[in-house]
Amino acid sequence: MNFLTRLTIRALRIRLLNQAFLPARRKSTEEMLFRRSILWSIWMALGSVLSWVGLYASFMDEAAFESAEDVVFLRYALAGLALIFTAIMFESLSYKAVAGPSSITVRYGVKTKMIRYSEIERVEHSTVYGGYLVFRSANAVVRIPDGARGIAEFIQRLSQEIGEERCSKAFRVLNNKKIEIMQLS
């Protein structure tokens, strides 16, 4: 990899990692707004388009394959990838989380979940779909991307509401992001 490529990748990673420590976007003075990274949505859209094009191309040139089993396997694999990428793309485009003064409301597509700060039993971290902070109560589970702009500000506010011991995993994730930024700088 040449020098300019490495420099570009490093700058992009620092920019993406640094989003968590920027001030949160606001819906109003009391409400913080969190969304998936637009870059994540672009990657999912690109994967979706390439998978659908590959599936279409597999129907156009069947003579290029050695056996019928190869064609069937390739079509199933491409169809599966296309569906997965498309579903994740729509989920990431429709995802919206709003942290108000006393609760978190998250919209996943057509579903909406709400959890009050006082009901949060623990905060966990999941690496699924690029990383989420998972807020669990007895009745509900909501997820906010760990790289969302302003997540550090939100975790600080949440720790004042529910206590630092319940937010320890979230603080650990943010600390790991800070260490990674320092190593890249």
Side-chain angles (χ1 to χ4, degrees), residues 51-62 65 74-75 78:
S51 299
W52 286 112
V53 167
L55 183 61
Y56 177 75
S58 74
F59 284 102
M60 299 306 291
D61 190 17
E62 290 184 13
F65 299 102
L74 179 68
R75 286 181 182 158
L78 287 172

Side-chain angles (χ1 to χ4, degrees), residues 164-176:
E164 286 189 24
E165 63 280 347
R166 287 195 222 164
C167 295
S168 63
K169 287 186 182 177
F171 282 123
R172 201 172 314 130
V173 168
L174 293 173
N175 192 36
N176 289 344

Side-chain angles (χ1 to χ4, degrees), residues 78-89:
L78 287 172
L81 281 174
L83 290 173
I84 289 170
F85 276 121
T86 304
I88 294 171
M89 178 189 66

Side-chain angles (χ1 to χ4, degrees), residues 39-54:
L39 190 60
W40 177 263
S41 299
I42 289 170
W43 280 114
M44 294 303 110
L46 183 64
S48 177
V49 167
L50 290 176
S51 299
W52 286 112
V53 167

Side-chain angles (χ1 to χ4, degrees), residues 141-155:
V141 175
V142 296
R143 294 168 185 83
I144 297 179
D146 65 2
R149 180 181 175 145
I151 196 72
E153 179 184 353
F154 171 67
I155 294 300

